[in-house]
Amino acid sequence: MVSTVRVDPERPDGPVSTKILIAGGFGVGKTTMVGSVSEIRPLHTEEPLTERGVLVDDTTGVGGKTTTTVAMDFGRITLSERLLLYLFGTPGQDRFWFMWDELATGAIGAVVLADTRRLPACFPAVDYFERRSLPFVVAVNCFDGAERHRPADVADALDLDPGVPVVLCDVRRRESSKRVLIALMEHVLTWAESRQADRGAEQEDGGGAGGAGVAPAG
């Protein structure tokens, strides 16, 4: 997957802008997170849930939900003077997964939102980013009345690779959502450094193997 970091040529000392995905199952809080943390008026593509849609979508555990994202959510946040994030929230229903490839183009990382009452709902997002080698964090949205679980237990239940962060959050609160994004960017940097080190080691191994020849018999 090709990721993109953009610098404004007219403002070389200005902030670097990049793209982040907010993903997860149906009704886990993606739209709420983008809305709570965005410094601009967020773009939402929500439509009312219809009787036909309820027959198609899995609404188990989200019986009070009356709308659904049919394309994407979009927002923006400046994390620092040097870093500007564009946030793209993915639709959560199975029937809209065909849009994920387009939304993921150019992204450098992702947040997978999880509801521990419906943890299997985030499996498809985890699998998607693992297959595409896109770094991600799992953010457990702590709904009112939901049982609290340790991040390590959630990581075990999701069978995450070592090093994938799991953070607890309340996406209704701006500072909580912002901490999730900071954790993601720290993970992206660590992941990129690790990948670079691995490539360097592979090149050294390849060079050593290529340079160690067997002298021809005289």
Side-chain angles (χ1 to χ4, degrees):
M1 166 116 10
V2 177
S3 58
T4 304
V5 176
R6 291 185 174 87
V7 178
D8 188 345
E10 296 183 359
R11 298 179 58 200
D13 295 329
V16 171
S17 63
T18 192
K19 179 179 182 181
I20 298 297
L21 292 186
I22 311 296
F26 182 54
V28 295
K30 301 180 294 296
T31 298
T32 301
M33 181 176 181
V34 173
S36 73
V37 80
S38 178
E39 62 196 14
I40 62 173
R41 182 177 180 179
L43 168 67
H44 299 307
T45 58
E46 287 197 308
E47 295 291 340
L49 274 173
T50 64
E51 292 183 7
R52 182 175 298 179
V54 170
L55 293 175
V56 175
D57 300 323
D58 182 5
T59 59
T60 305
V62 288
K65 188 171 174 60
T66 60
T67 61
T68 181
T69 298
V70 296
M72 68 174 184
D73 300 306
F74 174 78
R76 186 189 73 194
I77 179 174
T78 303
L79 277 188
S80 70
E81 294 181 354
R82 292 290 298 159
L83 185 59
L84 181 67
L85 302 184
Y86 289 102
L87 310 176
F88 289 78
T90 66
Q93 309 93 308
D94 297 4
R95 57 193 169 111
F96 293 126
W97 282 350
F98 69 91
M99 301 179 61
W100 281 39
D101 286 343
E102 186 67 27
L103 290 174
T105 300
I108 68 164
V111 173
V112 176
L113 277 177
D115 177 356
T116 55
R117 300 169 301 179
R118 301 180 292 118
L119 201 56
C122 70
F123 284 151
V126 170
D127 291 342
Y128 181 89
F129 298 126
E130 285 181 342
R131 289 197 306 268
R132 284 157 180 76
S133 297
L134 189 70
F136 66 93
V137 301
V138 173
V140 177
N141 192 10
C142 298
F143 286 87
D144 293 338
E147 184 179 353
R148 298 293 189 263
H149 296 273
R150 297 185 307 159
D153 293 337
V154 175
D156 288 342
L158 293 175
D159 194 25
L160 298 177
D161 291 336
V164 175
V166 177
V167 295
L168 306 181
C169 66
D170 181 345
V171 298
R172 299 170 298 182
R173 303 182 183 279
R174 175 180 170 82
E175 287 304 313
S176 183
S177 295
K178 188 175 179 180
R179 285 194 292 271
V180 171
L181 296 175
I182 291 172
L184 172 62
M185 296 312 299
E186 291 174 345
H187 178 55
V188 167
L189 292 174
T190 301
W191 179 88
E193 291 171 355
S194 176
R195 296 268 292 193
Q196 187 174 7
D198 290 343
R199 285 195 294 267
E202 290 174 358
Q203 291 174 355
E204 289 181 1
D205 291 343
V214 177

